[in-house]
Amino acid sequence: MRFLLHAKLQVPSRIQASFAKARAALERDDLRSPDLKKLSGSGYFRLKLDYDARLLVSFVEHAGKRACLALEVIEQHAYDRSRFLRGTRVDEQALVSDGIAEIEAAARPLRYLHPERAEFHFLDKPLSFDDRQSELCALPLPLILVGCAGSGKTALTLTKLREIPGEVLYVTQSPYLAESAANLYYSHGYQNDGQNVSFLSYRALLESIRVPKGRPVTLHDFAGFVARHAQSLKFTSTHQLFEEFRGVIGAAPEGPLELEQYLTLGVRRSIYATEQRPAVHAVFAKYRDWLAESSLYDTNLVAHSHARTAEALYDAAVIDEVQDLTNAELALVLATLKARAAFLLCGDANQIVHPNFFSWSAVKSLFYSTEQAAVSAPIHVLEANYRSSRVVCQVANALLKIKNARFGFSRRPHPRIVRKASALLRVRGHDARRSCFEALPAHGAFGRAPPPSLLERSVRTRRNQLELPTRAKAVAARAGRPLPSEQRRNPRHWRGRPA
């Protein structure tokens, strides 16, 4: 059995020898020597280190093998002060040891466990970082993290957040994500006296500086405005115009674009052709007046005004899902920082929920003081996937290879081929190792047929779906009843027949 240590575990020097002895006993699967006993009503166990010191542990299982996780040392039998037990009172005299069966029942499955590293982290559950994640976790700020869904970027970001001292701002567009991040951060009673973290949605950040009048404008509200100007906007749609206002005209950090600036934009920085832009810009001026009349506000316009009076309150900022924020909104976050380079950006340009012409190069130019620093600043990509099954990763990689072969590679740091890392092998009951998607070519040599056994299985399944068994047909004929398929095709013909 492997014995893993919590990254923040502190073992007093007086019990180092007994701790090492208990560790060696568990590694050779000796449960009796360290007096291992389960704490009733929880998934935790305790090891006896000396007369009044106990070690709180739990067990996990990965790839059919168990591992023991050393969580914290409990001194003077003070179980009620344990971070993980959270006030639970434990009667030492009532504890019993049920042996290996109790461990097997309490072991939590873990999708990934590093084959060599003996250190783990803990949010709402144990986390074992791979080599890339551990490397990034050790890097200082500033830091830019990019990863697909399931790459562990949120877990890595929150783990990194716990290490940043002082007043720290966590901000994201979604209120739900801000609340979820706070729950993960404070899970199992975590406390850090060396920092004070403010988990805010972007709207909450605006209101913490000065409460705007009204509420943020939505696409539904904007549709009512566009209906008033339908005659002059026949060349566009509501969604396109809203994206242009939010992501182009109003997204510049210095303020809304003037007409001359708007006309000089390249074709990749605007939805509309040059001859259509004067009409669009004229409607934008009416849009600003309409916002004031309707008690609505555009977060870009509010960010421009707030940035002039914002105070530098935070020692560092963590911006999650940065791709959903415009440069104008990000500039306000910068204005609240005491040190311009104390930031951690986390996101994925392929998961944009609020379209805004997001560009990593534009974000880097905003956050770094010089052009040379912005160009040379690395973007760290997490390529492993811990959420999807092997089948899903194989199909996604095969489709991405087709796209790259047909249309070329993207300039973004993402998407790229993902590496399957978790132990999840099945999808809806199908064995990923026997999936026909394994027959997809690795380098574009298409045309190879799936394994014959899979074809035969598909044909046999289809035949069973289309035909009733011969015995069922004979039974139905003798009873004078229609076959279910015939009765469905012609219900009138069988109406009144004896059942």
Side-chain angles (χ1 to χ4, degrees):
M1 183 185 300
R2 294 183 61 189
F3 190 88
L4 310 181
L5 306 177
H6 190 284
K8 301 300 181 181
L9 177 66
Q10 296 181 350
V11 181
S13 57
R14 66 180 180 81
I15 56 174
Q16 287 281 357
S18 57
F19 177 85
K21 185 178 179 180
R23 177 176 184 173
L26 283 181
E27 288 177 341
R28 63 176 183 266
D29 293 335
D30 179 7
L31 306 181
R32 180 169 299 182
S33 298
D35 192 17
L36 177 70
K37 292 184 179 180
K38 188 177 187 303
L39 304 183
S40 59
S42 70
Y44 300 109
F45 296 74
R46 72 102 172 106
L47 294 175
K48 185 176 182 179
L49 298 179
D50 64 8
Y51 180 76
D52 59 358
R54 303 292 185 264
L55 177 66
L56 188 69
V57 301
S58 65
F59 293 88
V60 295
E61 183 178 358
H62 174 75
K65 297 182 178 180
R66 289 186 300 274
C68 178
L69 308 181
L71 299 172
E72 64 178 337
V73 174
I74 299 175
E75 298 193 74
Q76 304 296 329
H77 306 285
Y79 290 98
D80 56 329
R81 300 180 184 177
S82 168
R83 168 194 160 190
F84 295 92
L85 298 180
R86 305 189 67 179
T88 302
R89 294 188 177 276
V90 176
D91 183 4
E92 282 273 348
Q93 304 299 324
L95 299 181
V96 295
S97 178
D98 293 331
I100 196 67
E102 189 72 18
I103 294 177
E104 291 178 351
R108 301 175 56 180
L110 205 61
R111 289 197 171 187
Y112 175 80
L113 189 61
H114 194 280
E116 299 177 357
R117 188 176 294 110
E119 180 185 77
F120 70 94
H121 299 267
F122 211 108
L123 289 176
D124 62 327
K125 56 186 177 182
L127 299 173
S128 180
F129 287 160
D130 60 25
D131 292 334
R132 179 61 171 165
Q133 291 170 330
S134 296
E135 174 191 353
L136 297 181
C137 191
L139 292 178
L141 301 182
L143 195 60
I144 302 178
L145 297 179
V146 178
C148 65
S151 62
K153 61 179 181 293
T154 298
L156 179 59
T157 299
L158 293 178
T159 302
K160 185 69 178 177
L161 173 60
R162 288 180 170 182
E163 301 175 356
I164 303 174
E167 292 287 334
V168 185
L169 170 66
Y170 174 98
V171 63
T172 186
Q173 183 70 260
S174 168
Y176 172 78
L177 180 57
E179 182 180 357
S180 299
N183 291 336
L184 286 174
Y185 176 88
Y186 291 111
S187 60
H188 294 282
Y190 176 79
Q191 293 181 350
N192 187 344
D193 297 333
Q195 65 174 188
N196 182 31
V197 184
S198 300
F199 289 89
L200 302 177
S201 65
Y202 195 81
R203 179 178 179 178
L205 175 64
L206 292 177
E207 294 175 350
S208 69
I209 300 173
R210 188 170 64 254
V211 179
K213 180 182 178 181
R215 60 176 176 81
V217 62
T218 64
L219 182 60
H220 179 74
D221 300 324
F222 187 73
F225 165 77
V226 173
R228 301 182 184 181
H229 306 276
Q231 293 298 323
S232 60
L233 295 173
K234 293 182 178 180
F235 59 89
T236 187
S237 67
T238 301
H239 193 278
Q240 285 181 323
L241 191 63
F242 191 63
E243 181 178 348
E244 188 80 357
F245 284 3
R246 291 272 304 132
V248 181
I249 300 179
E254 301 80 12
L257 296 178
E258 300 293 339
L259 178 59
E260 294 75 13
Q261 297 173 304
Y262 185 42
L263 293 176
T264 59
L265 295 180
V267 294
R268 292 190 176 184
R269 297 183 59 190
S270 174
I271 295 176
Y272 301 102
T274 305
E275 58 272 14
Q276 297 173 330
R277 294 180 190 176
V280 173
H281 198 275
V283 175
F284 181 76
K286 299 177 182 179
Y287 165 71
R288 299 183 67 174
D289 296 336
W290 169 78
L291 288 174
E293 296 170 0
S294 306
S295 295
L296 299 172
Y297 65 85
D298 187 316
T299 53
N300 282 334
L301 304 180
V302 174
H304 292 144
S305 62
H306 280 21
R308 304 186 190 101
T309 58
E311 297 182 21
L313 301 176
Y314 299 104
D315 297 297
V318 174
I319 306 176
D320 203 357
E321 304 297 350
V322 65
Q323 74 276 359
D324 287 330
L325 298 175
T326 65
N327 277 7
E329 294 169 333
L330 293 174
L332 176 61
V333 179
L334 271 178
T336 64
L337 288 180
K338 298 177 182 178
R340 188 181 181 91
F343 63 84
L344 191 161
L345 308 182
C346 176
D348 180 8
N350 296 286
Q351 299 183 54
I352 294 178
V353 177
H354 306 275
N356 56 21
F357 277 79
F358 178 81
S359 166
W360 280 114
S361 60
V363 170
K364 290 168 65 177
S365 299
L366 174 66
F367 275 81
Y368 289 90
S369 56
T370 65
E371 182 178 356
Q372 182 179 0
V375 173
S376 60
I379 295 180
H380 304 281
V381 181
L382 298 171
E383 298 181 3
N385 188 296
Y386 295 91
R387 183 179 302 169
S388 302
S389 70
R390 186 174 298 171
V391 174
V392 174
C393 290
Q394 288 172 342
V395 175
N397 288 340
L399 293 176
L400 184 57
K401 290 172 183 176
I402 296 173
K403 177 260 179 187
N404 290 340
R406 180 64 181 83
F407 301 105
F409 291 89
S410 173
R411 293 184 178 182
R412 297 176 180 177
H414 204 68
R416 60 176 65 193
I417 301 299
V418 296
R419 174 173 56 84
K420 178 60 196 161
S422 76
L424 183 62
L425 296 176
R426 293 179 179 271
V427 178
R428 294 183 182 179
H430 295 285
D431 192 343
R433 291 168 294 184
R434 295 298 303 270
S435 171
C436 61
F437 291 118
E438 289 188 346
L440 287 173
H443 301 288
F446 300 100
R448 184 171 59 181
S453 60
L454 294 177
L455 285 177
E456 293 171 1
R457 188 186 312 168
S458 300
V459 171
R460 183 166 59 252
T461 302
R462 185 60 177 162
R463 185 186 300 120
N464 292 338
Q465 292 173 349
L466 296 177
E467 297 182 7
L468 284 172
T470 305
R471 183 178 179 183
K473 290 184 178 180
V475 172
R478 287 197 300 269
R481 293 195 301 266
L483 295 175
S485 57
E486 295 175 355
Q487 191 172 10
R488 285 195 299 269
R489 286 196 299 267
N490 194 357
R492 289 186 179 182
H493 176 73
W494 294 98
R495 187 176 299 166
R497 295 289 187 93

